[in-house]
Amino acid sequence: MAASQRSALFIDGANLYATTKALGFDIDYKKLLKEFQARDNLLRAFYYTAMIEDQEYSSIRPLIDWLDYNGYRVVTKPVKEFTDSMGRRKYKGNMDIELAIDALELSPHIDHMVLFSGDGDFRSLVEAMQRRGVKVTVISTIQTQPAMISDELRRQADEFVDLASLSNRIGREPSERPVRAPGETASRYRGEARPSPALENRYGIRQPESEEG
């Protein structure tokens, strides 16, 4: 790929999590960002996820906080709670609209869209981006049973990349994840404030040592 090609990453957080879980590896988000910065002139890296706001602690919060301050644009919205016909409590948190709007608004400024999702609902978005002259690469997997990507989305994409083929460059082995320390809680941090090493290690987001002094 040409170094001058302008690109943006659009990560469907819930879909990517389900895909990596099915494949049996974890994403190192620092490696992921560097991988795509090396391929293109990466303008933006978006990460989309819905969150349950009334929970005192959310297991995804440490990851969201780190992404927010380390090169990613994090887009979140509250999960909607509802009761189904059987009286069971259910949660819904679809981020398709937010992702689609951001992609279409950015389309005049990029040459290449990289979509981390296998959701067939994005087929129309991919087609709309292509009509605007944007090349679209979709990253998911067909290595699972059933495949994590819809056939219609795979057919619409200009290029399909199987996430399994990237595991050695952007992934970590599950054995590298440390056990969560008792009493460990999430926190937002900025500037000098740093998350605990255990949190950084678990999510593959280790930061370099300070160069001060």
Side-chain angles (χ1 to χ4, degrees):
M1 297 182 184
S4 60
Q5 180 173 251
R6 301 166 302 171
S7 70
L9 308 184
F10 296 85
I11 301 172
D12 179 351
N15 192 280
L16 179 58
Y17 174 79
T19 302
T20 55
K21 185 176 181 180
L23 288 172
F25 78 94
D26 295 325
I27 295 288
D28 183 322
Y29 284 91
K30 179 180 288 186
K31 288 183 180 179
L32 186 153
L33 197 62
K34 288 183 177 179
E35 173 72 20
F36 287 90
Q37 286 173 333
R39 296 182 180 209
D40 283 347
N41 175 16
L42 185 64
L43 301 185
R44 293 284 187 276
F46 294 93
Y47 184 96
Y48 300 84
T49 188
M51 301 184 68
I52 301 176
E53 288 192 326
D54 60 355
Q55 285 188 340
E56 182 176 347
Y57 174 80
S58 172
S59 61
I60 198 175
R61 173 57 68 182
L63 172 61
I64 295 304
D65 289 343
W66 186 91
L67 294 174
D68 216 7
Y69 296 117
N70 289 274
Y72 290 85
R73 294 286 185 90
V74 177
V75 182
T76 66
K77 73 176 180 182
V79 169
K80 293 183 178 180
E81 182 180 338
F82 66 96
T83 303
D84 67 12
S85 60
M86 301 294 292
R88 294 170 297 191
R89 180 182 295 179
K90 298 283 187 176
Y91 295 96
K92 182 179 181 181
N94 193 309
M95 300 293 295
D96 292 4
I97 295 298
E98 288 79 6
L99 190 156
I101 290 174
D102 286 341
L104 291 170
E105 288 186 339
L106 200 58
S107 62
H109 309 288
I110 61 174
D111 309 299
H112 184 204
M113 172 187 183
V114 182
L115 174 64
F116 283 81
S117 183
D119 189 342
D121 289 344
F122 286 124
R123 190 206 65 78
S124 294
L125 170 63
V126 171
E127 184 180 22
M129 295 294 286
Q130 292 167 335
R131 288 198 303 267
R132 289 162 171 76
V134 178
K135 174 186 175 182
V136 181
T137 295
V138 173
I139 299 179
S140 186
T141 190
I142 57 173
Q143 301 300 317
T144 56
Q145 292 294 332
M148 296 297 291
I149 183 171
S150 75
D151 187 61
E152 60 181 1
L153 179 62
R154 185 183 175 193
R155 287 173 182 270
Q156 187 67 48
D158 293 296
E159 181 181 7
F160 167 70
V161 175
D162 200 300
L163 187 63
S165 70
L166 298 176
S167 62
N168 63 332
R169 297 202 294 275
I170 67 171
R172 299 180 304 122
E173 295 297 328
S175 60
E176 293 179 333
R177 293 180 298 176
V179 177
R180 180 180 172 190
E184 186 179 90
T185 59
S187 64
R188 291 193 68 83
Y189 57 94
R190 188 186 296 272
E192 294 298 319
R194 297 279 292 275
S196 72
L199 287 178
E200 292 184 350
N201 290 341
R202 186 192 308 105
Y203 289 102
I205 53 177
R206 295 180 294 276
Q207 293 182 310
E209 294 296 326
S210 172
E211 296 180 356
E212 295 179 357

